[in-house]
Amino acid sequence: MGPAEAKGGAVHTLTTLLAAGIAAGTPLLFASLGEIVAERAGVVNLGLEGMMLLGAVTGFLVMDASGSVWPGVLAAVAAGTVAAGVHAFFAVTLRANQIISGLGVTIAGAGLAAIIGRSVVGKAPKTYFHEVRVPGLGHIPGLGTILFHHHVLVFAGYLIVPVVWWVLRGTRLGLHLRAVGENPAAADAMGVPVALYRWGAVLFGGAMAGLAGATFSLAESPGWTEGMTAGRGWIAVALVIFATWDPLRGLVGAYLFGCLDALPGWDQANQVLNLQPTLLGMIPYVATIIVLIAVTVLGLQRRLGAPQALGAPYVRGE
């Protein structure tokens, strides 16, 4: 093999990794975007894993019953929203500890998903989201394969990110939501309904977690198996810190972690690193732990831009 062929092979190999990373990072992108919005309003949601599992199983069950993926997606979004409503009720209305409430939702959601999904464990999907190539853009050498040859939920991620960024940064709704997360007392004094904004932000986060779950069961790994999200909800929570509560950085972080997540399968297919798949599969979780340790030990949370009232229940007059 000559130098030109070797270079072409290396480029193709890298292209396949980046394309796989974007696909694998899409569920993380959805979940982390929802968490960014919730935390911008001052509410920590550690229930993402449970919400994603409920979205995955509900989406698959509805797709199996209807024979169409889109009712499955809508059902997954609804399931995530309902689960988020439970968290909002405890964390916002009852002002319970947000960490405990979120963990409770994760435990309950995982258990409930396992129960209601027993009848379809390992069942072949009737249909699922297939990859499509965007006309014109999909044929650009290299870039077309990386960005424009995916299932439609990946393309939905491209659109949702700038919309969320614009809403947070360029609208009155976003200004009020960020004020609720920074100084709820001041926002309340200005007439902003703190509880309503926090409820809305948490519900949006749940809807996005449900969409992330549907991405797993209807696109990335069509089907349902217990615990199929495999801890990605926790990675999404850490991604919020990695992204410094910014949707655009969240997109970069999600695709970066997606590439790490895709490494085992990519290496098995291309024999580049020749490392054990188990070892490579640990990398995203080790990276998540390193990010959290660094933020905690170095005290970087405030300097990275965390909302001042994050995790604190608001009681008028206190």
Side-chain angles (χ1 to χ4, degrees):
M1 180 184 293
E5 289 83 357
K7 183 179 179 181
V11 170
H12 174 73
T13 301
L14 180 60
T15 297
T16 58
L17 174 61
L18 294 176
I22 286 178
T26 296
L28 296 175
L29 176 62
F30 289 143
S32 62
L33 276 178
E35 182 67 7
I36 286 172
V37 171
E39 293 196 11
R40 278 292 185 184
V43 182
V44 176
N45 180 10
L46 297 187
L48 290 184
E49 183 77 2
M51 295 174 191
M52 289 168 67
L53 285 168
L54 284 172
V57 69
T58 304
F60 186 80
L61 285 169
V62 173
M63 177 279 298
D64 190 60
S66 67
S68 174
V69 290
W70 290 111
V73 169
L74 294 176
V77 169
T81 304
V82 170
V86 174
H87 178 53
F89 176 71
F90 283 102
V92 179
T93 302
L94 299 185
R95 304 183 186 90
N97 185 288
Q98 296 178 10
I99 304 299
I100 295 174
S101 175
L103 290 174
V105 170
T106 282
I107 295 169
L112 182 59
I115 292 171
I116 65 177
R118 282 178 179 172
S119 63
V120 291
V121 171
K123 184 175 181 179
K126 292 180 179 179
T127 183
Y128 57 90
F129 285 103
H130 297 274
E131 290 185 347
V132 295
R133 192 180 292 273
V134 177
L137 296 175
H139 295 282
I140 299 173
L143 194 63
T145 300
I146 295 171
L147 295 177
F148 303 112
H149 189 196
H150 294 285
H151 55 80
V152 296
L153 296 181
V154 172
F155 303 140
Y158 297 164
L159 298 176
I160 293 173
V161 170
V163 170
V164 172
W165 179 86
W166 174 73
V167 169
L168 287 177
R169 295 288 181 179
T171 67
R172 183 175 295 274
L173 173 66
L175 176 63
H176 287 172
L177 188 140
R178 288 186 288 121
V180 164
E182 292 290 342
N183 192 332
D188 191 15
M190 291 167 48
V192 177
V194 174
L196 181 62
Y197 271 84
R198 288 189 167 184
W199 260 90
V202 174
L203 292 179
F204 176 78
M208 294 299 290
L211 180 58
T215 306
F216 278 113
S217 64
L218 301 179
E220 292 301 308
S221 304
W224 164 252
T225 55
E226 222 176 285
M228 70 182 304
T229 55
R232 266 74 163 202
W234 302 109
I235 294 179
V237 173
L239 267 175
V240 176
I241 302 172
F242 182 86
T244 63
W245 292 267
D246 181 87
L248 299 182
R249 295 191 190 101
L251 180 143
V252 175
Y255 291 159
L256 173 61
F257 274 74
C259 288
L260 297 178
D261 197 22
L263 267 179
W266 172 82
D267 190 53
Q268 279 190 310
N270 295 280
Q271 297 295 309
V272 176
L273 302 175
N274 291 313
L275 295 175
Q276 288 290 332
T278 306
L279 181 63
L280 291 174
M282 293 170 54
I283 293 178
Y285 304 96
V286 172
T288 300
I289 293 172
I290 290 173
V291 169
L292 294 177
I293 290 176
V295 170
T296 302
V297 172
L298 300 177
L300 296 177
Q301 191 167 357
R302 284 300 310 136
R303 279 181 281 173
L304 288 175
Q308 289 188 7
L310 181 61
Y314 174 64
V315 181
R316 177 176 290 180
E318 290 187 1

